Each structure stands twice: as structure tokens, then as C-alpha cells.
Amino acid sequence: MGILSGPVSYLRFVVPSPTDGFEEAFCEALAQHAFHEIDPTSDVERAAGWVQFDDVFASEFEAKSLVDPSGHLFLKLRVDTLKVPAGTLKAYVDREARDRCRELQRDKLAKRELDVLKLEMKMRLRKRSLPRMQLLEVVWNIGTGELRLMSTSKGAATLFTDIFEKTFGLQIRPVGLLTVLWLRGMSEPEIDALAALEPERLHLIRP
Amino acid sequence: MPIQPSRDRFAFLGREFLTWLWFEAERSGGAVQVESLGPVRVEFGQRLVLESGGAVREDSTVKAEAPSLAEEARTALRVGKKVSRARLLVDVGERHFELGIDAETLTLSGVKLPTLLAGEDAQRLEERLHLIDEVENIVDELYMTFIRLRKDADAWAPVREALRAWVLEGAQA
């Protein structure tokens, strides 16, 4: 499920409008924060970066087609996680340790030997594993500054905010109970006046 | 742009909004008047969460065919809880939307959009974005209607009294 089909869930943000001729600069910024696959021989467990909206394996962007005719910039934030589950790693390490003890005719391995075995096994299992891929759809109306992240997860929102701000150098604000009033044209003094309101007590008071 | 203050300070406005919406939908036979849109048909569906706003939060979740009619939901209101999350069925003109809403953030989730006409991906995307804009506009305008009322002490006073009477209705029966 996402923006293209099924029910949608999303978080709203507002972002300042970019200056004219932003497309080239945005493409460079996106290239700097593009998604790069995790090298299974490394110890990196998570990688996050931008990919094309309609191709999760492509992370090149062209200035002339960056914004679609409706004025939207569509992106996907790809987040890959390559992590061997602790329980799985332990099971494989235990089995390998038993085999080595049998070969060496010993009762147990030394702590240092076990640590080395654990590292070796982790690397072997990482090479056999596929990363878990999470795709976060982003829809940015460049003209209005309305930005939608098609997820309601707090973790996703935090990661998205961080990467978005680093990429574009623009600060984003979540749309909430007060921001929406501002977006709908309410003046700042009117919004400030709401600070005088206190919660209503509707119960246990007879009219 | 106003700086978003701490979430908790104004969270009560969101809970009061959804509670007022429930009251208003019942009082008006489901058609809530919105200045910019005309009548908006609102029905509460399947799941309703009511929460107390104090330091120690307590919530009641009501799952029913029509939870706003459930005695459990009315009882929660009578002990001071207000609606914090709801599933709404909203009709404007011939458009029908279903959505989940969180009172504290106005976040929409599980939004079911009306049936699409376009077959091509690009057209579908554009049409769905237009529908998302539309449902967002409806919710924002309902909220604006509440806020305009709530901040006008003279206009709000009779509504508050009617709300209190409505909350106590079942208990008096």
C-alpha cells in the first residue's frame, strides 16, 4: 500500500519554497545523499538514501524531469537493514563451537577464540542474507511547500526529517494542531490568542 | 510560521474537536455545516478511542458497528474522557471517504479514497493526490469550524452548555 493504491496513511510537513533554478542544486544534493547498497563484507547494518520514485534500484536524478508537470517532486527514501538476528547468530556459533571442540578434542573454546568465531560467523551469515528493504514515499508540492511522508511511524519520521534537512538544507515542520491553522490563513495573533484557552470540563456538571 | 509548541499544551483542542464533531454529527443528523464546503456528512465508524487528558492518561477503546452509539463510549464521556482517535466516514457531495484520525496531531491514517477513474499510473497518481488534498481540506475545514467557534467566547458558551447536557443525557434517562 502506498500513494498509488490502497488506503493511505501519512504525515504532513511544511517546508519553505526553494529559490528559482533549484533543480540542478537539488540533483547534486540528491546525488550526495543517494542510496548505496550495504556491503555485506562490512559491518554496516543500516543504509539510507534517496532513490527514484518508480525505480528503487536507480538513484540518479535529472534536473529537467525532477519536478513533474503537476508541480510535485516524488521521491523514495530507501532504508536497508542487514542484521543477523542475535538468536540465529548464537545457534550457528554454538554449532560451530561444538564442531571445533570435537576436532580439537577439547571441552570448550577460549573466550578469545569464541569472539573470533562469532565475528567470522556473523560475516558468513551476512553474505548469505538479503537486507530488509523499507521504502518511504515522499511527495513534495514545490509550489505550496506541502510535504507528505507516506508513513505514520515516528521512527520513519525522525529518519526522514534528518535526511531531508541534510539533503536540501531546508528546515521542515510537522503540521499539527496549530500549524494547520496557519496554513489555513489564520493570523499569528489569532493563533497566539489560543494560548488563553483552557480545557473544557464537560462532565459531571449539570446545565 | 508559528513555532509548534509542545505537543501536550494544545492536545486538548484536538480531543475537544473530535468530541464536538461527534456531538455536532449527532445533533445535526450527520450533516455538519462547514462555511466553505456546505454540509459535510460525518459518521463515526467501527473504532473510537476516548482518553482522559490528565497527567495519568487513561483510555477506553470502543469497537462496535456504531461506537458513537455504544453506552460504553457515553460512559467514558461522562467520566471526563474525550475522543482521541476515531474512524470517520465522511461524505461531501458524491465523494465518500473513510479515514482514521488522531486528535493530537490531526494525522490521517488508513484513508480510503473514492473509486478512481484513471487507468494509467501517472493519471492515477494525480487523481489520488487530488483526492488526498480533498479529504485533507475537509478535515482541516471541520477543524477550522470548531476552532472559530471555540475561540469566540460568546458563540462557544451555548455550545458548551449543549455539549454538557448531551454528555449527561444518558445518565439522566
Side-chain angles (χ1 to χ4, degrees):
Chain A
M1 283 187 291
I3 187 78
L4 273 172
S5 64
V8 288
S9 300
Y10 62 97
L11 294 171
R12 296 163 71 184
F13 300 86
V14 276
V15 60
S17 296
T19 49
D20 286 345
F22 61 88
E23 291 90 342
E24 289 287 350
F26 275 15
C27 285
E28 280 175 32
L30 285 164
Q32 279 176 18
H33 294 87
F35 176 81
H36 295 288
E37 291 196 9
I38 297 173
D39 176 359
T41 63
S42 72
D43 57 4
V44 173
E45 290 189 338
R46 191 174 78 163
W50 302 107
V51 293
Q52 289 181 14
F53 190 79
D54 47 11
D55 186 352
V56 299
F57 297 103
S59 50
E60 306 82 33
F61 296 87
E62 283 187 28
K64 64 177 191 295
S65 56
L66 190 65
V67 178
D68 92 333
S70 69
H72 290 92
L73 171 50
F74 296 97
L75 294 167
K76 274 188 181 142
L77 184 62
R78 178 172 162 184
V79 186
D80 277 17
T81 308
L82 184 58
K83 198 172 179 179
V84 181
T88 306
L89 179 61
K90 185 178 181 307
Y92 277 88
V93 168
D94 287 351
R95 186 181 70 175
E96 188 68 18
R98 278 197 306 272
D99 290 351
R100 286 196 192 177
C101 283
R102 202 176 302 121
E103 273 175 38
L104 298 167
Q105 296 184 324
R106 281 161 50 184
D107 289 339
K108 61 176 186 178
L109 297 180
K111 186 182 178 305
R112 193 163 173 276
E113 289 173 313
L114 261 177
D115 287 344
V116 171
L117 175 61
K118 198 172 171 181
L119 268 177
E120 286 173 1
M121 191 54 71
K122 193 174 172 182
M123 285 301 148
R124 274 160 61 185
L125 291 173
R126 273 174 64 92
K127 284 181 196 166
R128 287 166 54 183
S129 309
L130 279 175
R132 186 172 62 83
M133 190 193 294
Q134 184 190 12
L135 295 165
L136 300 170
E137 294 177 337
V138 177
V139 183
W140 181 1
N141 186 325
I142 295 286
T144 64
E146 288 171 289
L147 184 62
R148 294 187 181 113
L149 172 68
M150 308 312 287
S151 166
T152 52
S153 146
K154 280 182 190 168
T158 305
L159 179 69
F160 162 72
T161 303
D162 182 44
I163 293 179
F164 184 96
E165 290 184 345
K166 278 183 186 154
T167 305
F168 299 105
L170 297 169
Q171 205 178 14
I172 61 175
R173 296 260 178 233
V175 173
L177 292 166
L178 296 191
T179 331
V180 78
L181 302 175
W182 175 78
L183 282 174
R184 294 275 143 186
M186 192 176 272
S187 69
E188 289 193 30
E190 278 184 294
I191 295 171
D192 291 344
L194 296 175
L197 297 179
E198 290 298 329
E200 282 292 6
R201 189 180 161 91
L202 301 174
H203 62 294
L204 302 176
I205 295 173
R206 291 178 186 274
Chain B
M1 187 190 322
I3 293 169
Q4 189 75 9
S6 74
R7 180 181 156 143
D8 286 346
R9 171 64 185 93
F10 290 96
F12 75 89
L13 282 177
R15 289 193 296 273
E16 285 185 7
F17 161 56
L18 288 185
T19 307
W20 166 82
L21 190 60
W22 174 10
F23 159 74
E24 200 58 43
E26 245 183 49
R27 184 166 78 157
S28 62
V32 181
Q33 282 299 325
V34 174
E35 202 177 292
S36 59
L37 299 169
V40 176
R41 292 202 66 80
V42 178
E43 203 180 311
F44 282 69
Q46 292 167 350
R47 189 169 183 268
L48 194 61
V49 181
L50 296 102
E51 197 176 284
S52 60
V56 181
R57 292 207 172 180
E58 288 178 39
D59 63 33
S60 306
T61 302
V62 182
K63 287 180 187 174
E65 196 63 37
S68 63
L69 300 177
E71 185 51 36
E72 200 182 336
R74 304 303 297 263
T75 304
L77 279 179
R78 277 181 223 124
V79 297
K81 292 175 184 170
K82 297 191 181 87
V83 182
S84 64
R85 268 167 287 156
R87 186 98 193 134
L88 302 179
L89 288 74
V90 177
D91 290 85
V92 175
E94 291 180 359
R95 301 266 208 231
H96 173 77
F97 300 91
E98 275 185 55
L99 56 111
I101 182 167
D102 182 315
E104 292 191 8
T105 58
L106 293 184
T107 298
L108 304 184
S109 57
V111 182
K112 289 186 184 172
L113 303 168
T115 312
L116 298 168
L117 300 172
E120 295 290 319
D121 269 4
Q123 285 174 303
R124 276 178 71 86
L125 183 57
E126 203 171 317
E127 203 177 331
R128 279 173 67 86
L129 273 176
H130 179 72
L131 290 168
I132 291 171
D133 284 343
E134 200 172 317
V135 70
E136 207 171 273
N137 182 52
I138 295 167
V139 172
D140 287 359
E141 285 301 315
L142 284 166
Y143 177 61
M144 284 297 286
T145 303
F146 165 74
I147 288 292
R148 284 191 201 103
L149 190 62
R150 181 67 172 85
K151 71 187 187 65
D152 180 340
D154 292 339
W156 177 246
V159 178
R160 180 181 52 219
E161 293 315 308
L163 258 164
R164 284 176 177 166
W166 171 74
V167 166
L168 289 173
E169 241 168 43
Q172 286 170 328

